[in-house]
């Protein structure tokens, strides 16, 4: 009778070894997981940290827009998003290769910057530079 019990128990696979393998596989997949980075829909030129260039004169084909909290400043004058949209559409038709310099305040909301970048893309302007104001 004792021999019969031993035969039934010996037919089962060892569960502790299987559990160890499952945990090792789980740890392996957690460690090797890479999060998918979504691709950007628009190329934005960011300044390099080592290139501290100061230029006194702005090139003639440069449009300067500042983004502050609840406020947009186009060439030094505060304007609404609708008036900037009209200006960007006009300039996009006139010169699509115009460079747009977007200076954003650190206190500005991301949605304000994204709304401005969407307007630039919608108006056909493709050369965008984004800089953070201190």
């Amino acid at each position: 009778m004792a021999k019969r019990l031993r035969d039934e128990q010996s037919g089962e696979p060892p569960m502790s070894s299987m559990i160890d393998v499952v945990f090792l596989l789980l740890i392996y997949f957690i460690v090797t997981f890479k999060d998918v980075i979504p691709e950007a829909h628009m190329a934005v030129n960011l300044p390099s940290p080592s290139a501290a260039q100061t230029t006194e004169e702005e090139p003639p084909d440069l449009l300067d827009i500042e983004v502050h909290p609840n406020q947009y400043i186009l060439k030094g004058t505060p304007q609404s998003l609708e008036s900037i949209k009209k200006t960007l559409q006009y300039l996009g038709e006139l010169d699509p290769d115009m460079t747009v310099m977007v200076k954003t305040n650190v206190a500005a909301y991301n949605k304000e910057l994204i709304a401005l970048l969407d307007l630039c893309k919608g108006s056909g302007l493709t050369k965008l530079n984004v800089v953070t104001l201190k």
Side-chain angles (χ1 to χ4, degrees):
M1 188 98 153
K3 185 177 182 183
R4 192 182 220 187
L5 276 174
R6 270 191 242 130
D7 288 340
E8 289 178 7
Q9 289 178 354
S10 65
E12 296 178 11
M15 292 305 290
S16 61
S17 300
M18 290 178 137
I19 291 173
D20 289 343
V21 170
V22 168
F23 280 122
L24 286 174
L25 286 173
L26 180 67
I27 290 170
Y28 172 77
F29 287 124
I30 289 174
V31 170
T32 59
F33 176 74
K34 280 189 177 180
D35 197 17
V36 178
I37 300 172
E39 293 183 16
H41 298 288
M42 183 175 8
V44 177
N45 300 325
L46 298 174
S48 64
S50 63
Q53 300 173 352
T54 56
T55 57
E56 297 294 325
E57 299 177 13
E58 290 184 0
D61 60 342
L62 180 69
L63 181 64
D64 185 27
I65 303 173
E66 293 183 16
V67 179
H68 296 281
N70 300 321
Q71 183 181 22
Y72 297 96
I73 299 176
L74 177 66
K75 292 207 174 203
T77 58
Q79 295 190 8
S80 68
L81 195 60
E82 289 300 319
S83 63
I84 290 177
K85 180 180 180 179
K86 292 176 187 175
T87 304
L88 289 176
Q89 287 176 346
Y90 172 73
L91 292 174
E93 293 172 0
L94 188 65
D95 184 15
D97 291 333
M98 177 178 280
T99 302
V100 179
M101 177 69 70
V102 179
K103 299 176 182 176
T104 182
N105 191 333
V106 291
Y109 295 110
N110 289 337
K111 66 179 180 179
E112 294 171 342
L113 175 64
I114 291 171
L116 182 65
L117 293 176
D118 286 342
L119 287 179
C120 291
K121 182 180 178 185
S123 63
L125 297 170
T126 57
K127 294 183 179 179
L128 303 173
N129 296 316
V130 179
V131 185
T132 305
L133 295 174
K134 292 182 181 179

